[in-house]
Amino acid sequence: MGQFPRSPRYQELRTCSAGYFWDALLNAKFRRSQSMRKWLVTKPSKLGPLFLSVFGLPFMGMGLFAAYTFLNAADQSLPARIGGAIFASVFAMIGGGIIFGSLYGYSLQKEQARRESANPASPWLWRQDWAASRVESKNKSSTIGWWIAAVLANMLFMPVSLGSISKGLSTQDPKYIIPAALGLMGLLALFGAISATIRFERFGKTYFEMASLPFSPGSRLTGAIHIHLDTDVRHGVDLKLWCTRTVVTGSGKERSTHKMPLWEESKNISPTSLVRGPLDTMIPVEFAIPSDAIQTDHDNPDDQIQWSLLVNADVPGVNYSDEFELPVFRNAQSPEALAPAPAGQANSSFEMPSGSQTATPSETSAEVPEPEMHRVAVTDSPRGLEFYFRAGRNLFRAVIFVVLAAVCGALLYAILQMPQRPPIFALVIVGLLTFVMTLASIHTALTSSCIVVGNGVISWRHSVLGIGRTRQMQIADVASILAVTSIQQASSSGSTLYSLRLQTNTGKNHTLVDEIESRQEARWIVSEIEKRAGLRLNTQVRIDDTFYGPPPQPGVAPPNGPAFSRKVSIRIER
């Protein structure tokens, strides 16, 4: 019988156990969960397609009726009738798309259920391309999505935009400017669709050929990307293997997605390493997966673990960018996970028990190379090694907050200038929004930070327009320097912000700097500070998670109850 994955809960129970009794009990529970898990397969339901079809019929019927009515409106000009018919056709297409999608999705679910039932304990065989030891590119589906969005957006907004432009030119009324500008959304979607199509046609139907199936923690991930590449790649091909956790919260309009990187490694493939053949070009891929890596998990649609290979190449014309989702699972041939560490120590590059500060030798010796591009100025002065983070270094973020603050301020001014007394509730809400956006604008656009390490002291200073105060700490009183982030700071695309935290020997935390966009830059700064200060080298990233708990894993029950309501810290090596 294979050992089950070493989850944090398992490590905690085993550490507290007296001996083999706990091992036998926990392994029995895991085997029972695995035997139950083989029935967790897709079960298609006919009620879903039936409900969606009934829901889509009114949209399609009313859309077709409205389009017919507009075309036969005798009191309207021909352009107005055509525009109205196109606008109404959008709703008919939405209704028809819902009906077609529900029926087509039901057939796909039946096929998916057949594959899962045939291989209940081998989820890497549940996808057709994975079962063939290859991973299809996401560019084709992305192109189709762009064209659907472009067609719907232009059919919905272009008639409104053209009608507003015609009326605005004849009346010179500025109120038609905003509806006339809606056509830009359709044009932007059309531009994205054209770019995606050019990329797809230029590089062909790319795919990643896997050398083994599945990829297992502790083994090497090897294979080759097959692509039609008819030009030189002077700067090589950038590859990034990363493991992400995607958490979906809320519902309806409040629904939001956070994609948090849990581990990543990047490398550049030189142009001379590309293998050019008569039919395509092969890009060699090779990474080492940590032995304690967490597995792919899609059991919960609102909390998933995914391994992906990102590819980017700077070529003349449309650049090549792609993404491949990879199967990372433990099986009978997988290397053993790391042995449990003594109490108070950690052995995982992915997770770390709350309060533990000890890392494995491989983690403490991790060297982080200097990023090719970073937003910190590093100088060596008589005071020590100085890291200066200028104000407004994240330009896009700063512009967004300044614009939002200006809009909220204008709205608050308009409310105060109303002839009638505005509602107190509205005034308070808009006032609070203006206050928060103003503070955020000052922090992102006007606040600079400086860290100095030397002469036995670590000092840091946050200043707004040069006004601020300096704090310092004796290096002897410093326990560690951490790169920290949280799931709440992650966006739907996987980008997140990192901060540097100084932790004292007494357990107090001080934020040295925040809003670092690059993960490698944050880890590199930590390594430089630790080397100059003579601290133990540890460039792990800590994820402070106060709500979501540990990442989900196959065969491990999700945490619940009061015992898991406490704060959980996750530390990551790369």
Side-chain angles (χ1 to χ4, degrees):
M1 292 286 181
Q3 293 280 332
F4 66 90
R6 307 301 195 189
S7 69
R9 182 60 176 162
Y10 174 89
Q11 303 286 11
E12 181 182 351
L13 290 176
R14 181 167 180 174
T15 302
C16 299
S17 66
Y20 294 104
F21 171 76
W22 280 108
D23 282 338
L25 177 62
L26 293 174
N27 278 292
K29 287 185 176 180
F30 175 75
R31 288 193 295 268
R32 184 163 63 251
S33 67
Q34 286 292 81
S35 64
M36 294 173 60
R37 178 178 169 78
K38 67 181 181 180
W39 301 110
L40 297 178
V41 296
T42 302
K43 295 182 179 180
S45 173
K46 296 181 180 180
L47 293 178
L50 179 61
F51 174 78
L52 291 176
S53 297
V54 173
F55 179 78
L57 277 175
F59 283 91
M60 185 173 66
M62 294 301 296
L64 293 175
F65 177 77
Y68 177 80
T69 303
F70 277 119
L71 286 176
N72 291 275
D75 57 339
Q76 297 290 333
S77 61
L78 181 60
R81 286 185 287 170
I82 294 177
I86 294 176
F87 182 84
S89 299
V90 174
F91 297 93
M93 292 179 62
I94 292 175
I98 292 175
I99 297 173
F100 172 78
S102 63
L103 298 177
Y104 182 67
Y106 178 70
S107 64
L108 293 180
Q109 279 190 335
K110 289 172 54 178
E111 178 63 23
Q112 181 69 20
R114 185 193 63 79
R115 286 196 297 266
E116 294 180 8
S117 299
N119 305 280
S122 304
W124 52 89
L125 300 177
W126 292 358
R127 273 182 43 169
Q128 187 175 2
D129 55 342
W130 285 359
S133 294
R134 58 192 294 172
V135 185
E136 299 294 344
S137 166
K138 292 187 176 181
N139 279 345
K140 182 178 180 180
S141 58
S142 175
T143 303
I144 295 174
W146 270 110
W147 276 110
I148 292 176
V151 170
L152 292 178
N154 280 281
M155 291 180 67
L156 187 63
F157 295 122
M158 199 55 69
V160 177
S161 178
L162 294 177
S164 300
I165 292 175
S166 177
K167 292 183 179 179
L169 293 176
S170 60
T171 61
Q172 299 296 316
D173 192 341
K175 70 179 182 181
Y176 291 107
I177 294 178
I178 294 179
L182 292 176
L184 294 176
M185 300 181 64
L187 294 178
L188 290 175
L190 181 61
F191 175 78
I194 294 175
S195 299
T197 302
I198 294 175
R199 182 179 296 109
F200 180 73
E201 292 294 331
R202 178 179 182 183
F203 301 109
K205 190 177 181 180
T206 60
Y207 64 93
F208 174 61
E209 184 179 12
M210 298 183 287
S212 61
L213 182 69
F215 297 120
S216 300
S219 64
R220 302 198 69 81
L221 186 152
T222 58
I225 299 171
H226 292 256
I227 178 178
H228 293 288
L229 196 61
D230 55 359
T231 184
D232 292 332
V233 187
R234 296 183 179 180
H235 304 290
V237 180
D238 295 323
L239 303 178
K240 181 170 78 170
L241 175 67
W242 69 342
C243 175
T244 58
R245 181 184 185 183
T246 303
V247 178
V248 181
T249 58
S251 60
K253 295 182 179 180
E254 302 299 325
R255 186 178 179 89
S256 60
T257 302
H258 305 275
K259 190 173 184 178
M260 167 61 62
L262 298 180
W263 181 92
E264 66 179 50
E265 183 177 344
S266 302
K267 60 174 59 177
N268 179 269
I269 306 300
S270 64
T272 57
S273 299
L274 304 184
V275 181
R276 298 184 181 274
L279 299 179
D280 57 18
T281 299
M282 290 190 296
I283 304 172
V285 176
E286 183 175 4
F287 288 93
I289 305 177
S291 59
D292 51 7
I294 57 180
Q295 308 176 69
T296 300
D297 190 289
H298 295 301
D299 282 352
N300 184 359
D302 293 337
D303 193 357
Q304 302 187 45
I305 300 297
Q306 177 176 308
W307 285 80
S308 300
L309 176 65
L310 305 184
V311 190
N312 288 280
D314 185 9
V315 297
V318 178
N319 291 334
Y320 172 62
S321 61
D322 216 333
E323 180 178 357
F324 304 91
E325 183 182 354
L326 306 177
V328 177
F329 295 95
R330 292 189 184 275
N331 56 13
Q333 291 75 35
S334 301
E336 287 291 330
L338 293 179
Q345 295 187 10
N347 60 2
S348 173
S349 60
F350 279 79
E351 299 189 46
M352 191 169 192
S354 179
S356 179
Q357 300 297 333
T358 305
T360 60
S362 62
E363 293 165 349
T364 57
S365 61
E367 289 284 348
V368 181
E370 180 179 356
E372 295 183 1
M373 298 182 61
H374 53 75
R375 298 178 181 178
V376 57
V378 183
T379 56
D380 204 344
S381 64
R383 295 192 304 159
L385 190 62
E386 180 176 325
F387 302 84
Y388 177 72
F389 303 83
R390 62 178 177 82
R393 58 187 177 277
N394 302 327
L395 182 59
F396 180 76
R397 182 178 175 85
V399 170
I400 290 295
F401 278 118
V402 170
V403 171
L404 290 177
V407 171
C408 292
L411 182 59
L412 179 62
Y413 177 80
I415 291 177
L416 293 176
Q417 296 299 317
M418 292 175 61
Q420 298 179 350
R421 184 177 180 180
I424 298 298
F425 178 77
L427 186 62
V428 170
I429 294 298
V430 176
L432 287 176
L433 285 175
T434 304
F435 177 72
V436 171
M437 290 297 105
T438 301
L439 291 181
S441 300
I442 294 174
H443 182 74
T444 56
L446 302 178
T447 303
S448 61
S449 300
C450 182
I451 305 172
V452 180
V453 185
N455 302 319
V457 174
I458 297 179
S459 63
W460 64 97
R461 174 185 173 88
H462 307 299
S463 58
V464 178
L465 299 178
I467 303 174
R469 71 187 185 99
T470 302
R471 305 184 63 181
Q472 66 180 21
M473 180 74 61
Q474 296 291 327
I475 293 179
D477 298 329
V478 177
S480 61
I481 307 294
L482 304 173
V484 185
T485 186
S486 67
I487 292 182
Q488 288 81 0
Q489 291 181 325
S491 67
S492 59
S493 62
S495 61
T496 185
L497 296 176
Y498 300 88
S499 60
L500 303 188
R501 178 186 298 171
L502 183 149
Q503 191 170 60
T504 66
N505 293 326
T506 58
K508 293 184 178 180
N509 295 319
H510 302 276
T511 300
L512 303 181
V513 66
D514 57 8
E515 294 194 347
I516 300 176
E517 289 189 335
S518 169
R519 190 171 184 275
Q520 185 180 0
E521 179 179 347
R523 295 181 63 233
W524 172 68
I525 296 172
V526 169
S527 67
E528 293 299 308
I529 294 177
E530 289 175 335
K531 287 190 291 186
R532 176 57 66 97
L535 298 173
R536 177 175 53 86
L537 186 60
N538 186 355
T539 60
Q540 293 174 312
V541 176
R542 166 170 289 181
I543 299 179
D544 285 341
D545 183 3
T546 60
F547 180 76
Y548 301 105
Q553 282 296 269
V556 179
N560 51 61
F564 290 89
S565 61
R566 59 181 171 82
K567 182 176 180 178
V568 178
S569 294
I570 305 173
R571 298 191 70 180
I572 305 142
E573 179 184 2
R574 297 181 183 180

